[in-house]
Amino acid sequence: MLLRGVNVAGNRKVAMADVRRVLESLGYADVSTYLQSGNAVISADKAKPDALERRIEKALASELGVDTRVLVRTHAELEAVIGANPFPAALAEPKFLHVVFLTADPTPAAVARMNPAAYAPDEIEFGDRAAYVRYARGQGRSKLTPAVWNRLGVAGTARNWNTVGALARLTAP
């Protein structure tokens, strides 16, 4: 489970202990968090991911006052994201490789509006509800700002490659 935009640059501060408490109060088992940037792992029944996302969003808003999007990914989905990495050479410097998990696939028209080629030398490729970004000189020097991502018309939350791998390991059966 990924929380969008919490504990980033001092915005939407939330303690991960509070997130764990809310998730446990909803009846989820095996609750754990990873880092302080809105990553949580839970065991849940076969509920539909979008229903799970809305339920958690409502609980975080009502119990913690945190208004944020929640994106749920299963272990299999995380493994698929890792397996579909279009930038295998970037694994030599994983801090420059990020995945933007998206709420839905953007339309071709939205991708055209974003114009990924305009952000060279950074590279962007799209996968299944994900955008892979290889930053040439690091995220802080990139022209890929939140306003650019908003052109896609779908919400997303980014994680660096090391975090994606850690979440896949934490969710392994």
Side-chain angles (χ1 to χ4, degrees):
M1 180 187 82
L2 309 166
L3 304 180
R4 182 175 189 252
V6 299
N7 299 340
V8 178
N11 295 320
R12 293 190 205 158
K13 288 187 176 188
V14 60
M16 292 297 102
D18 291 337
V19 171
R20 286 191 301 274
R21 180 182 50 76
V22 169
L23 294 171
E24 289 167 349
S25 76
L26 292 172
Y28 299 118
D30 304 317
V31 176
S32 65
T33 54
Y34 179 73
L35 301 175
Q36 293 296 315
S37 55
N39 307 295
V41 176
I42 62 173
S43 291
D45 59 12
K46 300 284 183 185
K48 291 185 179 184
D50 57 340
L52 190 62
E53 291 167 347
R54 300 299 80 79
R55 182 175 188 227
I56 295 169
E57 286 171 359
K58 287 179 184 176
L60 291 172
S62 68
E63 295 186 37
L64 301 179
V66 176
D67 183 22
T68 188
R69 289 296 304 260
V70 172
L71 287 83
V72 170
R73 295 297 188 270
T74 65
H75 173 73
E77 289 170 322
L78 291 169
E79 286 293 326
V81 163
I82 290 169
N85 172 19
F87 304 117
L91 296 178
E93 292 188 275
K95 67 182 179 180
F96 293 122
L97 181 58
H98 289 225
V99 176
V100 181
F101 292 92
L102 303 170
T103 55
D105 287 325
T107 65
V111 172
R113 272 193 311 275
M114 182 189 182
N115 188 15
Y119 301 96
D122 297 334
E123 297 176 276
I124 306 164
E125 293 289 336
F126 290 90
D128 182 19
R129 295 183 304 146
Y132 298 83
V133 183
R134 190 203 59 80
Y135 292 104
R137 296 180 298 264
Q139 186 178 14
R141 295 181 177 181
S142 177
K143 296 180 279 182
L144 285 166
T145 64
V148 171
W149 290 107
N150 289 341
R151 293 181 198 153
L152 290 176
V154 296
T157 186
R159 298 297 185 273
N160 70 42
W161 194 255
N162 290 329
T163 297
V164 174
L167 291 172
R169 288 187 297 279
L170 289 170
T171 58

